[in-house]
Each structure stands twice: as C-alpha cells, then as structure tokens.
Amino acid sequence: MAQIIPPKYVKQVLVVLQSHGYLAYLVGGCVRDMILGVHPQDWDICTSALPEQVRELFEHTVTTGIRHGTVTVMIHSHAVEVTTFRSDGDYADHRHPDAVSFVGDLTSDLARRDFTMNAIALPPDGLVADPFGGIADIENKLIRCVGEPERRFEEDALRMFRALRFSARLGFTVEEKTLAAIDEKAPLAAKLSAERVRDEVEKMLLTPRCEILRRVIGAGLLDGFLLTRGEESMSAELARISSLPRKALPRWAAFCAILEKRGMISSVRGFLTALRLDGRTIRCCEDCCALLKTEPPRTAKEWKKLLNRYGVDTADCAARCHDALRGGRCRDALRAVLKSGECFSVRHLAVSGDDLVELGLRGRELGEMLNFLLDYVMDYPENNRRELLLQLAGGTEES
Ligand code: ATP
Ligand code: MG
C-alpha cells in the first residue's frame, strides 16, 4: 500500500510505546496521505497509554493539549502528537465535547473522527485498522462522515467546513448524504468562533480549487459574515484565485475584491475584522481592493507613484490580483519598473533631508522640495544625481 514510510523518529515513538506494552498506531491525516502517496504534513499517533504514561516514557514532552489527551513528544527537534484513545461526550455547544473520556480501544477512538478517510489506523507492524471503509472511500475519492452526518455536524459544525476543504484540497467528492447534511445543518456554523472559520476559509483559499467557496457560501456557512449568498456565476471568478501564488495575502485580497464587487460585503475592513484577520492583512487587502477598482497604471511614472503611495508589497499584491481576476500583464510592468532600479521614494533620492537642511530649508518648505525633487526624478530617472538635485534645490554643492 504505502510507498511513503514514516521517518525514523516517528517509528521510534511507536516502538517505545509498543515495547512498554501499549497499543500505538499512526492515525488520521498521515495515514490518509500515505495511502494517497502524498508526504504527510505532520504525524499523529494514537495510543492506549494515558497521557501521564506517555510523559514518563519520553524525555522531552509538551503538554499543552493534555486536556484532550494529547502529549507532544519532542524527538530530535521534531514534534509528534501522541493522543490517548478517547471518545467524545455530547456537544451541547456544537463545537466542544462536554467531556472527553479515555477509552481502551481503538475502534471507539476512530469512531469519534470526522471522515472515514481520517479514521484509519496503521500499526508499526501488522494490519491496518479500517472499521469504517476509509480505504475504499479514498480509492473512490469520496468524503463521507463516520456515522450519521447530521449528528456529526451537530456535534461540531466545523466539520462542514472541513468536508468542503478536504474536497477542494484533494479533488474528492463529498458523498451525497454528507453534502445534503451540510445544507441542512449550515445554520449551526453561526456558533463557531470567527477564528476557526477564518482558519478554514484561509485553508480553502490555499487549495487549487478555490471555487469550493461558492459551495461554502451557497450552503450558508458564511451567512454570519456576508450580506448575501451571491450567485452561481461567482464560481468562475473564485476559481481564478487558485492561479495566484499559494500565499494567504494575495488570495484574501482577491477573495475580498470578488465579494465587494458583487455587493456581498459592505466593506473589506469590516469583513476581515469580523473574521479576526491581522491588521497588516486588513490594510493590504483594503488597499488592493481600492486599487483594483481603478484603471491600472499605464506608464512607468504612474507605477512609481503607486509604489511610493502603497509600497512594494501592496503594489505587487494588487498587480497579481489584477492579472488573475481581470487578465493582463500588470505584474510584468511592475517588475520591469522595480528591476530598472528607478527611484520612487524620497528615501532613494540622491539627496537627503539633511542635505536640504544645510541649504537652509526647513519644515513644510523642506517637505515640498523633497516631493518636487522626487516628482522630477520620477520623470527623469537618469538625473537622480546629487550635484544636480542640490542645484535644483537652490544651491551648489560646497567642496
Ligand atoms: P491536515 O493534513 O490538514 O493536517 P488532518 O486530517 O491531519 O489534515 P488535523 O486537523 O490535523 O487534520 O486533524 C488530525 C485528525 O484528527 C483528523 O485526521 C481526524 O481524524 C481528527 N479530527 C480533526 N478535527 C476533527 C473534528 N473537528 N472532528 C472529528 N475529528 C477530527
Ligand atoms: Mg494533521
């Protein structure tokens, strides 16, 4: 089955647990990825050992997740999450189990997991445990809840986002009953914290199939953040987000531009603030969306003015979004300007504020002179020379 084998440090953790008489399995995303022939992002182990027993066996452990039975084992500077077999109690708030109980058996642990493809366990030796048919579902590229989907989404509404996110990431289909349950239970998403929703949306934005956000919005999963659910026709636009580099910033900016253009948000800032994005991302997305509403620069000087006002990162983000959403070669034009090394900021002028002070300029006059020189140099980049600028500023350089 698996072409991909776990690294030595992971095997070591499994073997230590086993040699002390505990059951230990690789589980969850890493097993799914191994079956798919993809290198796992992280390695999770489930075990019959209680958290305290895991701690005793390894020299370096971190216990931030211990309430949920997870001990992070640090081994040769790698982290491996080791979680005691558990089953979750009821979920009165649709997002946190009321109680977590440790159980002795693997099948109960697998039963609490979200999808069949994530509920497969692999021992270091011996047969794979797949009580819910996860391997067959992976082969058929199907995302299916473990158990009744309505019930599972009632327990934790985030699973609805996870189902659609995995489908976008892996190119899988969400099985019919699971999909119908998303439409039915979508209102429960209102109970989720904005941070968890943000993280899911960001992960979807980083997939090769951003059009999945149409399904997310259409089902009503983002109703708490949007004015309307938009229309089917937005799919094609959303798909274009995936042609941007796989980075959060340009992808959030493009997403906001699409929502704003369609009147689905009242402001970029309001939308991103509600989703608890950080200040830098909010500012950059706001500027990018404002720029996308204008005609792109046509001359090198217009690009330099834009660079001066917004900085390289925002200009680059806006140029990339423009090309991805509207088509065009803004990014090439911007790169040519940056490559030319031509001055677009007073910081790059061949004279400094101090030079102008020596010429007797002060305060507003000094600021105006710097801007005048910058404007001149933007027109005549070859003239960004000290003597010449000092002359223009009203004096000659003393020697
Ligand atoms: P990724 O590659 O994105 O990390 P993953 O499947 O490893 O994918 P994680 O969020 O790391 O996803 O979770 C690890 C495992 O824990 C999952 O494979 C699944 O078995 C279980 N799991 C995670 N979140 C939930 C949830 N909300 N409900 C039920 N089980 C979950
Ligand atoms: Mg994982």
Side-chain angles (χ1 to χ4, degrees):
M1 174 209 7
Q3 301 286 313
I4 293 169
I5 49 163
K8 265 197 190 142
Y9 65 88
V10 174
K11 280 195 190 143
Q12 198 177 325
V13 178
L14 288 165
V15 167
V16 168
L17 285 161
Q18 260 197 338
S19 64
H20 286 81
Y22 302 113
L23 297 169
Y25 299 84
L26 287 172
V27 73
C30 63
V31 180
R32 176 197 70 223
D33 289 346
M34 284 165 81
I35 295 170
L36 284 168
V38 176
H39 280 280
Q41 293 172 358
D42 41 41
W43 298 89
D44 292 321
I45 289 175
C46 64
T47 180
S48 58
L50 291 169
E52 279 311 316
Q53 294 168 325
V54 176
R55 281 183 71 187
E56 275 165 23
L57 292 181
F58 299 94
E59 205 173 327
H60 301 292
T61 57
V62 183
T63 55
T64 33
I66 205 154
R67 252 171 21 99
H68 300 106
T70 303
V71 173
T72 305
V73 174
M74 299 302 303
I75 192 153
H76 312 310
S77 73
H78 297 284
V80 183
E81 302 228 310
V82 180
T83 305
T84 304
F85 292 153
R86 67 174 229 222
S87 74
D88 298 339
D90 288 338
Y91 291 68
D93 63 356
H94 308 287
R95 54 184 184 171
H96 297 120
D98 297 339
V100 169
S101 45
F102 298 130
V103 291
D105 74 300
L106 173 69
T107 308
S108 312
D109 182 82
L110 294 178
R112 74 163 170 96
R113 294 175 183 271
D114 47 6
F115 309 115
T116 56
M117 64 177 185
N118 289 342
I120 309 168
L122 191 66
D125 40 44
L127 282 180
V128 65
D130 178 22
F132 305 105
I135 294 177
D137 281 344
I138 291 175
E139 276 161 6
N140 294 319
K141 297 182 182 283
L142 266 189
I143 295 172
R144 182 199 309 271
C145 278
V146 173
E148 275 303 307
E150 291 83 4
R151 166 118 195 276
R152 303 311 310 280
F153 295 152
E154 277 168 17
E155 288 171 356
D156 182 359
L158 197 80
R159 291 174 188 153
M160 295 185 273
F161 284 90
R162 287 174 60 88
L164 294 171
R165 164 161 70 84
F166 282 122
S167 91
R169 175 165 138 200
L170 305 171
F172 281 21
T173 308
V174 181
E175 174 263 341
E176 234 172 84
K177 273 179 65 185
T178 305
L179 202 55
I182 294 179
D183 288 327
E184 190 193 323
K185 298 293 175 189
L188 294 176
K191 313 256 178 197
L192 295 168
S193 75
E195 287 82 356
R196 289 179 90 200
V197 174
R198 172 200 61 204
D199 291 350
E200 284 298 322
V201 172
E202 182 160 307
K203 286 178 185 170
M204 288 190 215
L205 284 170
L206 294 174
T207 69
R209 296 173 190 85
C210 287
E211 60 275 24
I212 197 64
L213 283 154
R214 170 63 208 143
R215 280 239 42 127
V216 174
I217 293 168
L221 288 171
L222 292 180
D223 278 3
F225 301 93
L226 300 176
L227 300 173
T228 73
R229 292 188 187 174
E231 287 146 24
E232 198 48 49
S233 59
M234 72 188 300
S235 281
E237 274 180 288
L238 290 168
R240 290 193 206 125
I241 300 176
S242 299
S243 69
L244 285 162
R246 215 178 152 271
K247 285 192 195 143
L249 192 60
R251 292 193 174 204
W252 272 112
F255 185 41
C256 289
I258 293 169
L259 296 175
E260 198 184 31
K261 195 184 93 186
R262 291 177 166 261
M264 295 168 70
I265 52 175
S266 53
S267 80
V268 171
R269 175 164 292 271
F271 172 62
L272 296 181
T273 305
L275 276 175
R276 306 270 191 281
L277 269 293
D278 63 286
R280 185 179 160 261
T281 304
I282 294 176
R283 218 170 312 119
C284 182
C285 288
E286 208 178 19
D287 287 344
C288 271
C289 289
L291 281 168
L292 286 168
K293 282 189 234 158
T294 65
E295 280 299 306
R298 267 162 304 190
T299 62
K301 181 166 183 189
E302 283 177 11
W303 274 112
K304 287 185 271 187
K305 284 192 153 180
L306 191 150
L307 280 164
N308 178 46
R309 171 142 181 228
Y310 293 99
V312 177
D313 290 350
T314 300
D316 186 63
C317 188
R320 284 179 187 274
C321 287
H322 179 277
D323 293 353
L325 298 178
R326 319 228 187 297
R329 311 200 64 103
C330 280
R331 178 106 202 298
D332 290 347
L334 172 63
R335 270 168 48 152
V337 170
L338 288 172
K339 207 169 153 211
S340 72
E342 290 173 11
C343 166
F344 58 81
S345 150
V346 287
R347 279 176 293 125
H348 308 143
L349 278 175
V351 291
S352 68
D354 287 349
D355 292 326
L356 300 188
V357 168
E358 283 199 21
L359 291 179
L361 291 168
R362 299 283 182 277
R364 223 179 79 182
E365 232 182 5
L366 190 150
E368 280 171 4
M369 179 54 74
L370 281 173
N371 285 333
F372 166 78
L373 293 177
L374 177 62
D375 194 67
Y376 170 76
V377 162
M378 282 193 193
D379 275 324
Y380 302 102
E382 67 282 6
N383 287 353
N384 189 17
R385 287 180 287 129
R386 189 177 155 78
E387 304 94 283
L388 200 136
L389 296 186
L390 286 172
Q391 257 178 25
L392 265 181
T396 45
E397 196 177 6
E398 291 161 29
S399 49

